[in-house]
Amino acid sequence: MTLAALILMLFFPFIITLAAVSPLRPGGAAEIIIRRMGLNHDAAMAVERLFTPHGGGGSAQSGWTVLGAVWLTLGGLSLAGAVQSVYLRVFRLPAFGLHGVPAQVAWLAGLIVFLAGTTATGAVLTGTVVGQVCQGLIVIAAMGLLFWIGTRVLVRGRLGWREILPAAVFTTIGLTGLGVVSRLLFSASIVENERNYGEIGVVFTLLSWLIGLGVVLTGGATVGGWYNEQGLSVLRAFRRRARSSSE
């Protein structure tokens, strides 16, 4: 719930403004959400309408102030700090305090690169069935790397690559499953809620999806930590099975 609230209230404005001032894909915040949730055309249009500015002139660039830029940056870092605290608690590491801020900045930069990169490749590849399959594999691989390398960055190298790998794998599996559920359920929910409640109905569905995202992020880390504590190993299990079958 905390992660969902942080993303909705602080990280979304950060991404919206960052996308609006980007010279590459202006207004790309809606596209990022649409592709992450796998929405159909009608639901995508509802999200587009939600993120389309109403009235008023001027661009996002003209609305920048020092205070606004600081606030938006803190919004992005708040999410990174929340995710960092999850991993520190799961792996029983002491809090870093201000020393953890550089790691949060690096993780946030990696997240932005992941969102921008996978959204850009999705716009190119999803025109065909083969392209959609390729895009799905790219997203899964990039997501696994993000959480594997990103977790190592957030814990400031206090854990080895093998210790972090299970959490990254379980988180990636969980987010892939959430993407499948999104494609099956959330498109219809967005369209129906917009029809019944207007734009706030779209926000209701987005918040539900964000809660699921928070559950997956914390659950993937927790299961990964439990996997390490139990001394489990998929590779050892496969090797034992191979030896027993050969005998």
Side-chain angles (χ1 to χ4, degrees):
M1 291 291 290
T2 301
L3 286 173
L6 285 173
I7 295 172
L8 184 65
M9 293 187 297
L10 296 175
F11 188 66
F12 266 18
F14 174 80
I15 288 294
I16 291 168
T17 306
L18 194 67
V21 301
S22 170
L24 299 177
R25 300 190 67 80
E31 187 178 352
I32 289 173
I33 296 170
I34 290 165
R35 294 199 178 279
R36 293 287 74 76
M37 296 183 69
L39 302 179
N40 62 25
H41 179 267
D42 292 339
M45 291 299 99
V47 173
E48 288 277 6
R49 287 189 288 271
L50 178 67
F51 282 86
T52 299
H54 296 288
S59 63
Q61 288 94 331
S62 64
W64 277 94
T65 63
V66 174
L67 181 60
V70 171
W71 176 250
L72 287 170
T73 302
L74 290 176
L77 290 177
S78 65
L79 173 63
V83 176
Q84 185 181 55
S85 67
V86 168
Y87 288 115
L88 294 181
R89 292 180 64 183
V90 166
F91 293 106
R92 296 182 174 86
L93 295 174
F96 297 138
L98 292 178
H99 295 292
V101 173
Q104 297 170 16
V105 172
W107 184 87
L108 181 62
L111 177 62
I112 293 171
V113 171
F114 165 78
L115 292 175
T118 54
T119 302
T121 57
V124 174
L125 295 176
T126 52
T128 64
V129 175
V130 175
Q132 292 174 8
V133 173
C134 292
Q135 170 66 5
L137 295 176
I138 289 172
V139 170
I140 292 173
M143 199 157 42
L145 287 174
L146 172 67
F147 286 103
W148 193 26
I149 299 173
T151 303
R152 169 88 171 182
V153 170
L154 286 177
V155 300
R156 301 177 64 204
R158 303 291 177 87
L159 298 173
W161 291 107
R162 293 184 65 180
E163 293 177 274
I164 296 170
L165 183 59
V169 170
F170 286 121
T171 303
T172 301
I173 292 172
L175 289 177
T176 303
L178 180 62
V180 174
V181 172
S182 297
R183 289 179 180 274
L184 296 177
L185 299 179
F186 282 103
S187 290
S189 177
I190 286 176
V191 174
E192 182 178 357
N193 281 348
E194 187 191 37
R195 185 184 304 117
N196 293 334
Y197 307 108
E199 291 182 346
I200 191 63
V202 180
V203 176
F204 291 158
T205 304
L206 289 179
L207 184 58
S208 299
W209 182 78
L210 290 174
I211 292 173
L213 178 63
V215 170
V216 170
L217 287 175
T218 54
T222 303
V223 174
W226 170 83
Y227 183 93
N228 286 336
E229 290 180 355
Q230 298 300 313
L232 302 176
S233 174
V234 175
L235 290 177
R236 281 202 300 267
F238 275 119
R239 288 169 184 165
R240 280 199 298 268
R241 189 183 183 100
R243 281 199 299 267
S244 62
S245 61
S246 62
E247 292 174 359

